[in-house]
Structure formats: C-alpha cells, structure tokens
Amino acid sequence: MINPRLQGLADYPFARYRALIDRLEPPPGLAPIALTLGEPQHAAPAMVAEVLAANAADWNRYPPLNGTPEFRAACVDWLTRRYGLPSGTVDPDACILPVSGTREALFLAPLLAVDGRPAAGPPPAVILPNPFYAPYEGGAVMAGAEPVFADCTAETGFLPDLDALEADGALMARTALMYLCTPSNPQGAVADRAYLTRAIALARRHGWVLVVDECYGEIYDAEPPPGVLEVAAALDGGALDNLLVFHSLSKRSNAAGLRAGFVAGDPTLIAAFDRLRRYAGAGMPRPVMAAAAALWADDAHVAENRARYRAKFDAAEAALAGRMAMRRPPAGFFLWLDVSALAPHAPDPGEAVARRLWAEAAVRALPGAYLTHAGADGVNRGAAYLRLALVHEPEVIAEALARLADLAGSDGVESDGAAAGGAPAGAARVMEDGR
C-alpha cells in the first residue's frame, strides 16, 4: 500500500544525526550550541509582524496560487535590482510563481521534467551536486528518475565538473534535469558567469531543465554572486529557456518560518509548475505575500545581515586558521571542515568527531557523509568533513568554535604556525576575551 520508491530514499540527514547522538549526554556545565540546522537565529525585521497585522483581514481568503500582482511585481523588481537585469527580462505574469518555501518547490521540480521510466533501457537521470540538499534526491527518486551524483570537491572548485558530465554522452541523452546550488551548500562555492554560461548551454544543447538554487545568493563576503538570470539575459536574445531559479526569504531575511519564496524562469516551465501546484494547493496566504513583498523591496536589513555573517567568519578565522582545511567561503553561512586528522582511524571521521563534539563540548554539527552520496567506487568523499552552520550571534559562534579548537588541540593536531596541541597563537584567548 506504500509507494516502493520511498524505500529508495536515504534517511533524512537530521534524523540520522538524532540517532547518532541519541544515547550521548553533553558535559555538565556547558550550554549546548546547535550548529546543525541552517536556520538563521537573527531576528526577522520588525516589518514582518507589522505587515502581517496590517493585512490580518485577509486570513479568511483563499490565496491566489500564482500570487498577487503586488507580490510578483516585488519579486521582479528585486531580481532586476539585484542582478542588473534589463527591464522586461522577467515578465511578472508569466515568469514568477510564489512557493511555500523553496524546499517544497525544489522537491516538485522533477515532476515537471521526468517523463517516467521507459519500458526498456536506463531510467531518466537527474543530476545532483554531491554534497546535495536532500529534497533534490527526494524529488528525483519520487519522480521515477535515477539520481546521478556529481562530486563537488576541492579539485572541481566545489561545483559539478561540467566537462566530465558532458563527456558522458549516454548520461546527457537521458538527463531530464540538473540541480545546481550556487552559492553551494555546504562549501559556499560560487559559480561564476563563465560556469553559468556553460551550464545554460549544456541544458539547451541536450534538452534538459537547469534548476538553480540561489537561496544563499544574498549572503556573501565581498562580491555579490552572479545569478543565472543575469547570465541568461546577457546571452543572445536574453531568453529564459530551460531555466528555473529559486529564491527564498528564509536566509536572506531571517524569515524561515514565513515559508515565503518564489520560482522564476522559462514561462513554459512556470505555466507547467502552476498547473502542477494547483493540484497540491500549497498556496501562500495573502498576509504572508504582503509581508514577503515588503521584504523583497527592502535591501537595508540584508546588508546588516551580511555584516553579522562577516563577523562570524572573522571569528572562525581567528579560532581555526590553519586547522581542518579551514577556508573562508565567498558566500553562504557554513563551514565545511576536514576533520579527518581528529579521527585518523575512523571509517567515517565526520561522524566520529560529531559524536565527540557533542559528548565532550556540547556542540552539535552535522557529519559530512550525511549530505553526500558514495561514488561509484564506494567512497563517500564527504565522510572526512563536518558541516557547521554559523547561524547564531557572533559571540555564540565564537564560543562554539573555541570548544572545537580545544577539542582539536587536545588531540595534538598541528596547525600552520602553531605548536602541536594548541590553537594558532592567541586564537583561543581571543575567543574567550570575545565572550
């Protein structure tokens, strides 16, 4: 009575993590700090509550599934402003749909592109970055496609290797859709304009849908990441063919609970998405659309948000410089740390260190293997890593990273410019003084 495709899904990463630490108790006297979930802990802008209250009379009205004109216009205005799009690039009536958080819509996207398992031969393919966001895999599997995991390692710039993908002609022939996350989760890698141009060309040449998840596109360190619509607009004709791009207020505006995002792109795909979602009925309430429109219209709170994240990465560099392949990502709010030296004999170092970090330092962090699929050679290239979400206020992040540095120091792990058993000169003391 249950769809057998569900059995093809891996356990959700956070369920696996809860099972990992289920019987462990954190040390007494240390306040627990959770860096597992990418849920911003900064306060949402005050305008959210104000606009919701001002539109309270609309709670008793069904929402239009294609959004209010005001919502769609706010999304187009923001896209045009943020990415320098020529006027008219995105038609608010044909190229925009509200979604109840991009997670829902990213999961549904393969249902638009996958035409089902053929009677003979290999199934349709959906290409995923590896590490990947779990709804990508869920959508592919439930649509009847084979998820094909493209390793994103330091050697590939933490993005899928487009040359390697195109070299596999059989894969290109059966691909229905490719997910691309830029800035990437968890590495914070940014696809530049040349990369996005190549990805668009691949999708159009081989006739598949390019789904670009840009939900971290407003959280960057120095340079604003380019967007796929901005690149498409600069190509011949400026068409949006084969493209869907997803944006959300969860990270940009610290409004994860608002469940407000949108999908933009190819008008033919948007029309199909609208048709599909009318059967599910996951509409965004009118007061929420009004609050979302107000947030998309305001950039000042986003600049303040970025400044907070920069302070957290300053703290990370102070605490972990020279350790665990620590790199300051150009965008996003995660650390992707190589912890293999802290558990050199463990088959899954990230999992072993995650257990220790909770049991010995009361810090929760997600093992990299829970976000990564093993390759054809059976090796899970995320197993050496730990993902930390820097979502708390800077002083809380500083405390968590000081505990991690102490854990690394207790194992005698050397760092550049530091003696074995200790943090980089002054780092631990800086963290304590910062509290």
Side-chain angles (χ1 to χ4, degrees), residues 135-218:
Y136 302 165
E137 180 191 28
V141 170
M142 297 309 293
E146 175 192 352
V148 175
F149 298 90
D151 286 341
C152 301
T153 63
E155 291 72 27
T156 69
F158 297 112
L159 294 168
D161 184 339
L162 298 181
D163 289 334
L165 290 172
E166 187 170 30
D168 188 341
L171 173 62
M172 290 292 97
R174 66 188 182 95
T175 295
L177 180 147
M178 176 178 172
Y179 285 105
L180 178 65
C181 185
T182 174
S184 65
N185 169 7
Q187 312 97 320
V190 171
D192 63 18
R193 288 173 177 80
Y195 186 101
L196 291 171
T197 299
R198 178 79 191 286
I200 293 169
L202 273 182
R204 291 175 177 172
R205 184 179 308 131
H206 297 282
W208 38 262
V209 178
L210 178 62
V211 167
V212 187
D213 181 354
E214 294 182 354
C215 75
Y216 298 97
E218 285 277 67

Coordinates of all heavy atoms in Angstrom, one line a residue, residues 135-218:
P135 N 16.1 17.3 -0.4 CA 14.9 17.3 -1.3 C 15.3 17.1 -2.8 O 14.4 16.7 -3.6 CB 14.3 18.7 -1.1 CG 14.7 19.0 0.3 CD 16.1 18.5 0.5
Y136 N 16.5 17.5 -3.2 CA 16.9 17.2 -4.6 C 16.7 15.7 -4.9 O 16.1 15.2 -5.9 CB 18.3 17.6 -4.9 CG 18.7 19.0 -4.7 CD1 20.1 19.3 -4.7 CD2 17.8 20.0 -4.5 CE1 20.5 20.6 -4.5 CE2 18.3 21.3 -4.3 CZ 19.6 21.6 -4.3 OH 20.1 22.9 -4.1
E137 N 17.3 14.9 -4.0 CA 17.3 13.4 -4.2 C 15.9 12.9 -4.1 O 15.4 12.1 -4.9 CB 18.2 12.7 -3.2 CG 18.2 11.2 -3.3 CD 18.8 10.5 -2.1 OE1 18.8 11.0 -1.0 OE2 19.3 9.4 -2.4
G138 N 15.1 13.4 -3.1 CA 13.8 13.0 -2.9 C 12.9 13.3 -4.1 O 12.1 12.4 -4.5
G139 N 13.0 14.4 -4.7 CA 12.2 14.7 -5.9 C 12.6 13.8 -7.1 O 11.7 13.4 -7.8
A140 N 13.9 13.6 -7.2 CA 14.3 12.7 -8.3 C 13.8 11.3 -8.2 O 13.2 10.7 -9.1 CB 15.9 12.7 -8.4
V141 N 13.9 10.7 -7.0 CA 13.5 9.4 -6.8 C 12.0 9.2 -6.9 O 11.5 8.3 -7.6 CB 14.0 8.9 -5.4 CG1 13.3 7.5 -5.0 CG2 15.5 8.7 -5.4
M142 N 11.3 10.1 -6.3 CA 9.8 10.0 -6.3 C 9.2 10.3 -7.7 O 8.1 9.9 -8.0 CB 9.2 10.9 -5.3 CG 9.6 10.6 -3.9 SD 9.3 8.8 -3.4 CE 7.5 8.7 -3.5
A143 N 10.0 11.0 -8.6 CA 9.6 11.2 -10.0 C 9.9 10.0 -10.9 O 9.6 10.0 -12.0 CB 10.2 12.5 -10.5
G144 N 10.6 9.0 -10.3 CA 11.0 7.9 -11.1 C 12.3 8.0 -11.9 O 12.5 7.2 -12.8
A145 N 13.1 8.9 -11.5 CA 14.4 9.1 -12.1 C 15.5 8.5 -11.3 O 15.4 8.2 -10.1 CB 14.7 10.6 -12.3
E146 N 16.7 8.4 -11.9 CA 17.9 7.9 -11.2 C 18.7 9.2 -10.8 O 19.1 9.9 -11.6 CB 18.8 7.0 -12.1 CG 20.1 6.7 -11.4 CD 21.1 6.0 -12.4 OE1 20.7 5.8 -13.5 OE2 22.3 5.9 -12.0
P147 N 18.9 9.4 -9.5 CA 19.8 10.5 -9.1 C 21.2 10.1 -9.5 O 21.7 9.1 -9.2 CB 19.6 10.5 -7.6 CG 18.5 9.6 -7.2 CD 18.4 8.6 -8.3
V148 N 21.9 11.0 -10.2 CA 23.3 10.9 -10.6 C 24.1 12.0 -9.8 O 23.8 13.2 -10.0 CB 23.5 11.0 -12.1 CG1 24.9 11.0 -12.4 CG2 22.7 9.9 -12.8
F149 N 25.0 11.5 -9.0 CA 25.6 12.4 -8.0 C 27.0 12.9 -8.6 O 27.9 12.1 -8.9 CB 25.9 11.7 -6.7 CG 24.6 11.3 -6.0 CD1 24.0 10.1 -6.2 CD2 23.9 12.2 -5.2 CE1 22.8 9.8 -5.6 CE2 22.7 11.9 -4.6 CZ 22.2 10.6 -4.8
A150 N 27.1 14.2 -8.8 CA 28.3 14.8 -9.4 C 29.2 15.3 -8.2 O 28.8 16.3 -7.6 CB 28.0 15.9 -10.4
D151 N 30.3 14.7 -8.0 CA 31.1 15.1 -6.9 C 31.6 16.5 -7.0 O 32.1 16.9 -8.1 CB 32.4 14.1 -6.8 CG 32.0 12.8 -6.2 OD1 31.0 12.6 -5.6 OD2 32.8 11.8 -6.5
C152 N 31.5 17.2 -5.9 CA 31.9 18.6 -5.8 C 33.1 18.7 -4.7 O 32.8 18.8 -3.5 CB 30.8 19.5 -5.4 SG 29.4 19.5 -6.6
T153 N 34.3 18.6 -5.2 CA 35.4 18.5 -4.3 C 36.3 19.7 -4.5 O 36.0 20.6 -5.4 CB 36.2 17.2 -4.5 OG1 36.7 17.3 -5.9 CG2 35.4 16.0 -4.4
A154 N 37.4 19.8 -3.7 CA 38.3 20.9 -3.9 C 38.8 20.9 -5.3 O 39.1 22.0 -5.9 CB 39.4 20.8 -2.9
E155 N 39.1 19.7 -5.9 CA 39.6 19.6 -7.2 C 38.7 20.2 -8.3 O 39.1 20.6 -9.4 CB 40.0 18.2 -7.5 CG 41.1 17.6 -6.7 CD 40.8 17.4 -5.3 OE1 39.6 17.1 -5.0 OE2 41.7 17.4 -4.4
T156 N 37.4 20.1 -8.0 CA 36.4 20.6 -9.0 C 35.9 22.0 -8.7 O 34.9 22.5 -9.3 CB 35.1 19.7 -9.1 OG1 34.4 19.8 -7.9 CG2 35.6 18.3 -9.4
G157 N 36.5 22.7 -7.7 CA 36.1 24.0 -7.3 C 34.8 23.9 -6.5 O 34.1 24.9 -6.3
F158 N 34.5 22.8 -5.9 CA 33.3 22.5 -5.1 C 32.0 22.7 -5.9 O 31.0 23.1 -5.3 CB 33.3 23.4 -3.8 CG 34.5 23.1 -2.9 CD1 35.5 24.0 -2.6 CD2 34.5 21.9 -2.2 CE1 36.5 23.7 -1.8 CE2 35.6 21.6 -1.3 CZ 36.6 22.5 -1.1
L159 N 32.1 22.6 -7.2 CA 30.9 22.6 -8.1 C 31.0 21.4 -9.0 O 32.1 20.8 -9.2 CB 30.9 23.9 -8.9 CG 30.7 25.2 -8.1 CD1 31.1 26.4 -9.1 CD2 29.3 25.3 -7.6
P160 N 29.9 20.9 -9.6 CA 30.0 19.8 -10.5 C 30.9 20.1 -11.7 O 31.0 21.2 -12.2 CB 28.5 19.7 -11.0 CG 27.7 20.3 -9.9 CD 28.5 21.4 -9.3
D161 N 31.6 19.1 -12.1 CA 32.5 19.2 -13.2 C 31.7 19.0 -14.5 O 31.4 17.9 -14.9 CB 33.6 18.1 -13.1 CG 34.7 18.1 -14.2 OD1 34.4 18.8 -15.2 OD2 35.7 17.6 -14.0
L162 N 31.5 20.2 -15.2 CA 30.6 20.2 -16.4 C 31.3 19.4 -17.5 O 30.6 18.8 -18.3 CB 30.3 21.6 -16.8 CG 29.5 22.4 -15.7 CD1 29.2 23.8 -16.3 CD2 28.2 21.7 -15.4
D163 N 32.6 19.5 -17.6 CA 33.3 18.8 -18.7 C 33.1 17.3 -18.5 O 32.8 16.6 -19.5 CB 34.8 19.1 -18.7 CG 35.1 20.5 -19.1 OD1 34.3 21.1 -19.9 OD2 36.1 21.1 -18.7
A164 N 33.3 16.8 -17.3 CA 33.1 15.4 -17.1 C 31.7 14.9 -17.3 O 31.4 13.8 -17.9 CB 33.5 15.0 -15.6
L165 N 30.7 15.7 -17.0 CA 29.3 15.4 -17.2 C 29.0 15.3 -18.7 O 28.4 14.4 -19.2 CB 28.4 16.4 -16.6 CG 28.3 16.4 -15.0 CD1 27.5 17.5 -14.5 CD2 27.8 15.1 -14.5
E166 N 29.5 16.3 -19.5 CA 29.2 16.3 -20.9 C 29.9 15.2 -21.7 O 29.4 14.7 -22.7 CB 29.5 17.7 -21.5 CG 29.0 17.7 -23.0 CD 29.1 19.1 -23.6 OE1 30.0 19.9 -23.2 OE2 28.3 19.4 -24.5
A167 N 31.1 14.8 -21.1 CA 31.8 13.7 -21.8 C 31.1 12.4 -21.7 O 31.3 11.5 -22.5 CB 33.2 13.6 -21.1
D168 N 30.1 12.3 -20.8 CA 29.3 11.1 -20.7 C 28.0 11.3 -21.6 O 27.0 11.7 -21.2 CB 28.9 10.8 -19.3 CG 28.2 9.5 -19.1 OD1 27.7 8.9 -20.0 OD2 28.2 9.0 -17.9
G169 N 28.2 10.9 -22.9 CA 27.1 11.1 -23.8 C 25.8 10.4 -23.5 O 24.7 10.9 -23.7
A170 N 26.0 9.2 -23.0 CA 24.8 8.4 -22.6 C 24.0 9.1 -21.4 O 22.8 9.1 -21.4 CB 25.2 7.0 -22.2
L171 N 24.8 9.7 -20.5 CA 24.1 10.4 -19.4 C 23.4 11.6 -19.9 O 22.2 11.9 -19.6 CB 25.2 10.8 -18.4 CG 24.7 11.7 -17.2 CD1 23.6 11.1 -16.4 CD2 25.8 12.2 -16.3
M172 N 24.0 12.4 -20.8 CA 23.4 13.6 -21.4 C 22.1 13.2 -22.1 O 21.1 13.9 -22.0 CB 24.4 14.3 -22.3 CG 25.5 15.0 -21.6 SD 25.1 16.4 -20.6 CE 25.1 15.7 -19.0
A173 N 22.1 12.1 -22.8 CA 20.9 11.7 -23.6 C 19.7 11.4 -22.7 O 18.6 11.5 -23.1 CB 21.3 10.5 -24.4
R174 N 20.0 10.9 -21.5 CA 18.8 10.5 -20.6 C 18.6 11.5 -19.5 O 17.7 11.3 -18.6 CB 19.0 9.1 -20.1 CG 20.2 8.9 -19.1 CD 20.4 7.4 -18.8 NE 21.5 7.2 -17.9 CZ 21.3 7.0 -16.5 NH1 20.1 7.1 -16.0 NH2 22.3 6.8 -15.7
T175 N 19.4 12.6 -19.4 CA 19.2 13.6 -18.3 C 17.9 14.4 -18.6 O 17.6 14.8 -19.7 CB 20.4 14.5 -18.2 OG1 21.5 13.8 -17.9 CG2 20.1 15.6 -17.2
A176 N 17.1 14.5 -17.5 CA 15.9 15.3 -17.6 C 16.0 16.6 -16.9 O 15.4 17.6 -17.3 CB 14.7 14.5 -16.9
L177 N 16.9 16.7 -15.9 CA 17.0 17.9 -15.1 C 18.4 17.8 -14.4 O 18.9 16.7 -14.0 CB 15.9 17.9 -14.1 CG 15.8 19.1 -13.1 CD1 14.3 19.4 -12.8 CD2 16.4 18.8 -11.8
M178 N 19.0 19.0 -14.1 CA 20.1 19.1 -13.3 C 19.9 20.2 -12.2 O 19.5 21.3 -12.5 CB 21.4 19.5 -14.1 CG 22.6 19.7 -13.3 SD 24.1 20.1 -14.3 CE 25.3 20.5 -13.0
Y179 N 20.2 19.8 -11.0 CA 20.2 20.8 -9.9 C 21.6 21.4 -9.8 O 22.6 20.7 -9.8 CB 19.9 20.1 -8.6 CG 18.5 19.7 -8.3 CD1 18.1 18.4 -8.4 CD2 17.5 20.6 -8.0 CE1 16.8 18.0 -8.2 CE2 16.2 20.2 -7.7 CZ 15.8 18.9 -7.8 OH 14.5 18.5 -7.6
L180 N 21.6 22.7 -9.6 CA 22.9 23.4 -9.3 C 22.6 24.4 -8.1 O 21.6 25.1 -8.2 CB 23.3 24.2 -10.5 CG 24.6 25.1 -10.4 CD1 25.8 24.2 -10.1 CD2 24.9 25.9 -11.6
C181 N 23.4 24.3 -7.1 CA 23.2 25.2 -6.0 C 24.4 26.2 -5.9 O 25.6 25.8 -5.8 CB 23.2 24.4 -4.7 SG 22.9 25.4 -3.2
T182 N 24.1 27.5 -6.1 CA 25.2 28.5 -6.1 C 24.7 29.8 -5.4 O 23.6 30.3 -5.9 CB 25.8 28.8 -7.5 OG1 26.7 29.9 -7.4 CG2 24.7 29.1 -8.5
P183 N 25.3 30.2 -4.4 CA 26.4 29.6 -3.6 C 26.0 28.3 -3.1 O 24.9 28.1 -2.7 CB 26.7 30.7 -2.5 CG 26.1 31.9 -3.0 CD 24.9 31.6 -3.8
S184 N 27.0 27.4 -3.0 CA 26.7 26.0 -2.7 C 26.6 25.8 -1.2 O 27.2 26.5 -0.4 CB 27.8 25.1 -3.3 OG 29.1 25.3 -2.7
N185 N 25.8 24.8 -0.9 CA 25.6 24.3 0.5 C 26.3 22.9 0.5 O 25.8 22.0 -0.3 CB 24.1 24.2 0.8 CG 23.8 23.5 2.1 OD1 24.7 23.1 2.9 ND2 22.5 23.3 2.3
P186 N 27.3 22.7 1.3 CA 27.8 23.5 2.4 C 29.1 24.2 2.1 O 29.6 24.9 3.0 CB 28.1 22.4 3.4 CG 28.6 21.2 2.6 CD 27.8 21.3 1.3
Q187 N 29.7 24.2 0.9 CA 31.0 24.7 0.7 C 31.1 26.2 0.5 O 32.2 26.8 0.6 CB 31.7 24.0 -0.4 CG 31.6 22.5 -0.4 CD 30.5 22.0 -1.3 OE1 29.4 22.6 -1.3 NE2 30.7 20.9 -2.0
G188 N 30.0 26.8 0.1 CA 29.9 28.2 -0.1 C 30.6 28.6 -1.4 O 31.0 29.8 -1.6
A189 N 30.7 27.7 -2.4 CA 31.4 28.0 -3.7 C 30.4 28.7 -4.5 O 29.2 28.5 -4.5 CB 31.8 26.7 -4.4
V190 N 30.9 29.6 -5.4 CA 30.1 30.5 -6.3 C 30.4 30.1 -7.7 O 31.6 30.1 -8.1 CB 30.4 32.0 -6.0 CG1 29.7 32.8 -7.0 CG2 29.9 32.3 -4.6
A191 N 29.4 29.8 -8.5 CA 29.5 29.6 -9.9 C 29.7 31.0 -10.6 O 28.8 31.8 -10.4 CB 28.3 28.9 -10.5
D192 N 30.8 31.2 -11.3 CA 31.0 32.4 -12.0 C 30.2 32.5 -13.3 O 29.5 31.6 -13.7 CB 32.5 32.7 -12.2 CG 33.2 31.7 -13.1 OD1 32.5 31.0 -13.8 OD2 34.4 31.6 -13.1
R193 N 30.3 33.6 -13.9 CA 29.5 33.8 -15.2 C 29.8 32.8 -16.2 O 29.0 32.3 -17.0 CB 29.6 35.3 -15.7 CG 28.9 36.3 -14.8 CD 29.2 37.7 -15.2 NE 28.5 38.7 -14.3 CZ 28.9 39.0 -13.1 NH1 29.9 38.5 -12.6 NH2 28.1 39.9 -12.4
A194 N 31.1 32.5 -16.4 CA 31.5 31.5 -17.4 C 30.9 30.2 -17.1 O 30.5 29.5 -18.0 CB 33.1 31.5 -17.5
Y195 N 31.0 29.8 -15.8 CA 30.4 28.5 -15.4 C 28.9 28.4 -15.7 O 28.4 27.5 -16.3 CB 30.7 28.2 -14.0 CG 30.3 26.8 -13.5 CD1 31.2 25.8 -13.3 CD2 28.9 26.5 -13.2 CE1 30.9 24.6 -12.9 CE2 28.6 25.3 -12.8 CZ 29.5 24.3 -12.6 OH 29.2 23.0 -12.2
L196 N 28.2 29.5 -15.3 CA 26.7 29.5 -15.6 C 26.4 29.5 -17.1 O 25.4 28.9 -17.5 CB 26.1 30.7 -14.9 CG 26.1 30.7 -13.3 CD1 25.7 32.0 -12.7 CD2 25.2 29.6 -12.8
T197 N 27.2 30.3 -17.8 CA 27.0 30.3 -19.3 C 27.1 28.9 -19.9 O 26.3 28.4 -20.7 CB 28.0 31.2 -20.0 OG1 27.9 32.5 -19.5 CG2 27.9 31.2 -21.5
R198 N 28.1 28.1 -19.4 CA 28.4 26.8 -19.8 C 27.2 25.9 -19.4 O 26.7 25.0 -20.2 CB 29.7 26.2 -19.3 CG 30.0 24.8 -19.6 CD 30.6 24.7 -21.0 NE 30.6 23.3 -21.5 CZ 31.5 22.4 -21.0 NH1 32.4 22.8 -20.1 NH2 31.5 21.2 -21.5
A199 N 26.7 26.0 -18.2 CA 25.6 25.2 -17.7 C 24.3 25.4 -18.5 O 23.6 24.5 -18.9 CB 25.4 25.5 -16.2
I200 N 24.1 26.7 -18.8 CA 22.9 27.0 -19.6 C 23.0 26.4 -21.0 O 22.1 25.8 -21.5 CB 22.7 28.5 -19.8 CG1 22.4 29.2 -18.4 CG2 21.7 28.9 -20.8 CD1 22.5 30.7 -18.4
A201 N 24.2 26.5 -21.6 CA 24.4 25.9 -22.9 C 24.2 24.4 -22.9 O 23.6 23.8 -23.9 CB 25.8 26.3 -23.4
L202 N 24.7 23.7 -21.9 CA 24.5 22.3 -21.8 C 23.1 21.9 -21.7 O 22.6 21.0 -22.4 CB 25.2 21.8 -20.5 CG 26.7 21.4 -20.6 CD1 27.2 20.8 -19.2 CD2 26.9 20.3 -21.7
A203 N 22.3 22.6 -20.9 CA 20.9 22.3 -20.7 C 20.2 22.5 -22.1 O 19.3 21.6 -22.5 CB 20.3 23.2 -19.7
R204 N 20.5 23.5 -22.8 CA 19.8 23.8 -24.1 C 20.2 22.8 -25.2 O 19.4 22.4 -26.0 CB 20.0 25.3 -24.4 CG 19.3 26.2 -23.5 CD 19.5 27.7 -23.8 NE 18.8 28.5 -22.8 CZ 18.9 29.8 -22.7 NH1 19.8 30.5 -23.5 NH2 18.1 30.5 -21.9
R205 N 21.5 22.5 -25.1 CA 22.0 21.6 -26.2 C 21.4 20.2 -26.1 O 21.1 19.6 -27.1 CB 23.6 21.6 -26.1 CG 24.2 20.7 -27.2 CD 25.7 20.8 -27.1 NE 26.2 22.1 -27.0 CZ 27.0 22.6 -26.0 NH1 27.5 21.7 -25.1 NH2 27.4 23.8 -26.0
H206 N 21.3 19.8 -24.8 CA 20.8 18.4 -24.6 C 19.4 18.3 -24.2 O 18.8 17.2 -24.0 CB 21.7 17.7 -23.6 CG 23.2 17.6 -24.0 ND1 23.6 16.7 -24.9 CD2 24.2 18.4 -23.7 CE1 24.9 16.8 -25.1 NE2 25.3 17.8 -24.4
G207 N 18.7 19.4 -24.1 CA 17.2 19.4 -23.9 C 16.8 19.1 -22.5 O 15.7 18.4 -22.4
W208 N 17.5 19.5 -21.5 CA 17.0 19.2 -20.1 C 16.9 20.6 -19.4 O 17.2 21.6 -19.9 CB 17.9 18.3 -19.4 CG 19.4 18.3 -19.5 CD1 20.1 17.5 -20.3 CD2 20.3 19.1 -18.8 NE1 21.5 17.8 -20.2 CE2 21.6 18.8 -19.3 CE3 20.2 20.1 -17.9 CZ2 22.8 19.4 -18.8 CZ3 21.4 20.8 -17.4 CH2 22.6 20.4 -17.9
V209 N 16.3 20.4 -18.2 CA 16.0 21.6 -17.4 C 17.1 21.9 -16.4 O 17.6 21.0 -15.7 CB 14.6 21.4 -16.6 CG1 14.4 22.6 -15.7 CG2 13.5 21.2 -17.6
L210 N 17.6 23.1 -16.3 CA 18.6 23.5 -15.3 C 17.8 24.2 -14.2 O 17.3 25.3 -14.4 CB 19.6 24.5 -16.0 CG 20.7 25.0 -15.1 CD1 21.5 23.9 -14.5 CD2 21.5 26.0 -15.8
V211 N 17.9 23.6 -13.0 CA 17.3 24.2 -11.8 C 18.4 24.7 -11.0 O 19.3 24.0 -10.5 CB 16.5 23.1 -11.0 CG1 16.2 23.5 -9.6 CG2 15.3 22.6 -11.8
V212 N 18.3 26.0 -10.7 CA 19.4 26.7 -10.0 C 18.8 27.2 -8.6 O 17.9 28.0 -8.6 CB 20.0 27.9 -10.8 CG1 21.2 28.5 -10.0 CG2 20.4 27.4 -12.2
D213 N 19.4 26.7 -7.6 CA 19.0 27.0 -6.2 C 19.9 28.2 -5.7 O 21.1 27.9 -5.5 CB 19.1 25.8 -5.3 CG 18.7 26.0 -3.9 OD1 18.4 27.2 -3.5 OD2 18.7 25.0 -3.1
E214 N 19.4 29.4 -5.7 CA 20.2 30.5 -5.3 C 19.8 31.1 -3.9 O 19.9 32.3 -3.7 CB 20.1 31.6 -6.4 CG 20.7 31.2 -7.7 CD 20.6 32.3 -8.8 OE1 20.0 33.4 -8.5 OE2 21.2 32.1 -9.9
C215 N 19.4 30.2 -3.0 CA 18.8 30.7 -1.8 C 19.9 31.4 -0.9 O 19.5 32.1 0.1 CB 18.0 29.7 -1.0 SG 19.1 28.4 -0.2
Y216 N 21.2 31.2 -1.1 CA 22.2 31.8 -0.3 C 22.8 33.0 -1.1 O 23.9 33.5 -0.7 CB 23.3 30.8 0.0 CG 22.8 29.7 0.9 CD1 22.5 28.5 0.3 CD2 22.7 29.8 2.2 CE1 22.0 27.4 1.0 CE2 22.2 28.8 3.0 CZ 21.9 27.6 2.4 OH 21.4 26.5 3.2
G217 N 22.2 33.4 -2.2 CA 22.8 34.4 -3.1 C 22.9 35.8 -2.4 O 23.6 36.7 -3.0
E218 N 22.2 36.1 -1.3 CA 22.4 37.4 -0.7 C 23.3 37.4 0.5 O 23.5 38.4 1.2 CB 21.0 37.9 -0.3 CG 20.1 38.4 -1.4 CD 20.4 39.8 -1.8 OE1 21.5 40.1 -2.3 OE2 19.5 40.7 -1.6

